[in-house]
């Protein structure tokens, strides 16, 4: 039942049906996960990314999260983050915001998430990280003034939104002139042109794009044993969590491995 439920959810997202209902379902799901999956070393909710070439440096205590941090490293690599104001939209349990705050010397990092329970969990897991804070808010109606940030990060979150163009317009609004928007998420390969149309808000100029799919599949493989061990502790929803986490044999894993689903990165700059 878990896999059929997840399959139907993915199909409805791909076809654009019931966007407001989908957004409500995702919020309830993440609230539920944050309340009942309380592992103190689980700061990330993404599928991960293994880049080619020389591994980027990490402190020993962060090595267990390397594959998940990989999506954030590629997001900010070669961007002028030091001394700037950073916003992560869809910050989840806060591991990505924490990584940027600890490794890239920004002036500040704010994590914004729609799930109140998830924000509470992020605050608990990442307490004591300098210049890092978390707020509850809607990606489509951000609670910030115009030009409040220099860098906006959005990782594996936009598929939960009811109105991606509204999100992109909000990104353009809260970015200062010359600011950067760095994005990564998955879509059916046939809908990538639509995604680019949705993200192309007035004032945002596309500066680069990448297909991360191979590195994401490598990360899913690298994290498989750890995920299976944790999912095995569950009494309920094991099949659903296997699908949700992208375990081997899941719908999303197969889609990424066969090329039907693409995991892509985009970079934009605020004109001005």
């Amino acid at each position: 039942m878990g896999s059929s439920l997840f399959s139907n959810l993915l199909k409805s997202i791909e076809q654009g049906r019931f966007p407001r209902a989908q957004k409500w379902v995702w919020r309830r799901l993440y609230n539920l996960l944050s309340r009942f999956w309380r592992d103190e070393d689980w700061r990330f909710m993404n599928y991960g990314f293994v880049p080619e070439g020389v591994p980027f440096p990490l402190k020993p205590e962060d090595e267990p999260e390397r594959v998940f941090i990989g999506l954030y490293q590629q997001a900010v690599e070669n961007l002028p983050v030091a001394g700037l104001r950073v916003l992560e939209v869809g910050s989840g349990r806060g591991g990505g915001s924490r990584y940027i705050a600890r490794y890239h010397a920004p002036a500040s990092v704010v994590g914004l998430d729609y799930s109140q329970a998830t924000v509470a969990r992020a605050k608990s897991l990442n307490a004591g990280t300098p210049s890092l804070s978390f707020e509850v808010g809607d990606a489509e109606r951000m609670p910030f003034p115009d030009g409040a940030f220099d860098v906006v990060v959005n990782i594996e979150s936009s598929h939960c939104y009811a109105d991606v163009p509204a999100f992109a317009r909000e990104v353009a609004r809260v970015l200062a002139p010359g600011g950067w928007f760095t994005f990564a998420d998955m879509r059916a390969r046939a809908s990538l042109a639509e995604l680019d149309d949705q993200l192309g808000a007035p004032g945002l100029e596309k500066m680069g794009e990448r297909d991360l799919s191979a590195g994401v599949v490598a990360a899913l493989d690298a994290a498989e044993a750890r995920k299976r061990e944790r999912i095995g502790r569950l009494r309920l929803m094991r099949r659903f969590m296997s699908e949700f986490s992208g375990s081997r044999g899941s719908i999303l894993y197969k889609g990424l491995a066969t090329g039907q689903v693409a995991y892509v990165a985009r970079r934009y700059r605020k004109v001005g």
Side-chain angles (χ1 to χ4, degrees):
M1 181 173 178
S3 58
S4 62
L5 174 63
F6 200 75
S7 177
N8 289 334
L9 181 59
L10 290 176
K11 287 178 181 177
S12 65
I13 291 170
E14 181 178 337
Q15 296 168 6
R17 293 182 296 180
F18 316 118
R20 296 294 169 189
Q22 292 164 23
K23 183 176 178 179
W24 181 86
V25 169
W26 283 117
R27 184 182 191 182
R28 300 283 291 192
L29 174 60
Y30 283 111
N31 278 337
L32 183 68
L33 287 172
S34 295
R35 290 189 177 110
F36 295 103
W37 200 315
R38 306 176 67 89
D39 298 36
E40 293 300 314
D41 63 340
W42 181 34
R43 289 188 172 92
F44 291 87
M45 301 178 75
N46 67 59
Y47 287 168
F49 175 67
V50 177
E52 296 181 354
V54 179
F56 57 92
L58 280 178
K59 298 173 183 178
E61 63 267 28
D62 295 320
E63 281 293 341
E65 311 296 336
R66 172 174 287 278
V67 297
F68 310 113
I69 291 172
L71 276 172
Y72 287 88
Q73 171 60 22
Q74 69 79 32
V76 300
E77 189 173 23
N78 300 321
L79 286 185
V81 175
L84 299 185
R85 303 162 298 170
V86 178
L87 169 67
E88 183 186 4
V89 182
S91 52
R93 294 167 74 96
S97 293
R98 177 177 179 265
Y99 166 72
I100 294 171
R102 293 174 67 229
Y103 282 83
H104 292 275
S108 62
V109 181
V110 177
L112 181 75
D113 201 275
Y114 193 46
S115 164
Q116 187 171 6
T118 302
V119 169
R121 179 62 54 200
K123 289 179 178 179
S124 173
L125 289 173
N126 304 288
T129 303
S131 71
L132 176 62
S133 62
F134 296 94
E135 296 188 27
V136 178
D138 190 335
E140 299 161 31
R141 294 186 300 275
M142 296 187 205
F144 307 113
D146 297 357
F149 299 97
D150 306 298
V151 180
V152 174
V153 180
N154 185 243
I155 302 293
E156 204 172 299
S157 176
S158 69
H159 60 273
C160 300
Y161 303 163
D163 190 341
V164 174
F167 158 65
R169 291 192 296 270
E170 280 292 272
V171 170
R173 182 184 66 78
V174 303
L175 271 177
W180 291 89
F181 170 37
T182 179
F183 167 94
D185 207 349
M186 66 204 121
R187 291 292 192 277
R189 192 168 292 277
S191 66
L192 292 181
E194 180 185 5
L195 173 65
D196 285 331
D197 287 342
Q198 292 174 335
L199 294 176
L204 294 180
E205 180 182 0
K206 186 192 282 189
M207 304 298 291
E209 60 181 71
R210 293 177 65 189
D211 189 324
L212 307 179
S213 302
V216 172
V217 172
L220 290 172
D221 287 338
E224 176 73 10
R226 182 183 182 186
K227 283 187 292 189
R228 286 293 181 187
E229 187 274 329
R230 296 191 182 209
I231 291 171
R233 302 177 198 168
L234 300 175
R235 294 184 180 181
L236 301 173
M237 295 181 67
R238 287 187 185 179
R239 290 180 63 188
F240 181 86
M241 287 305 299
S242 292
E243 294 289 340
F244 179 77
S245 66
S247 294
R248 233 179 248 138
S250 67
I251 296 163
L252 276 173
Y253 183 94
K254 291 175 182 176
L256 285 164
T258 61
Q260 293 179 323
V261 175
Y263 202 118
V264 297
R266 300 286 188 263
R267 280 189 183 178
Y268 297 83
R269 196 164 194 189
K270 173 76 172 285
V271 176

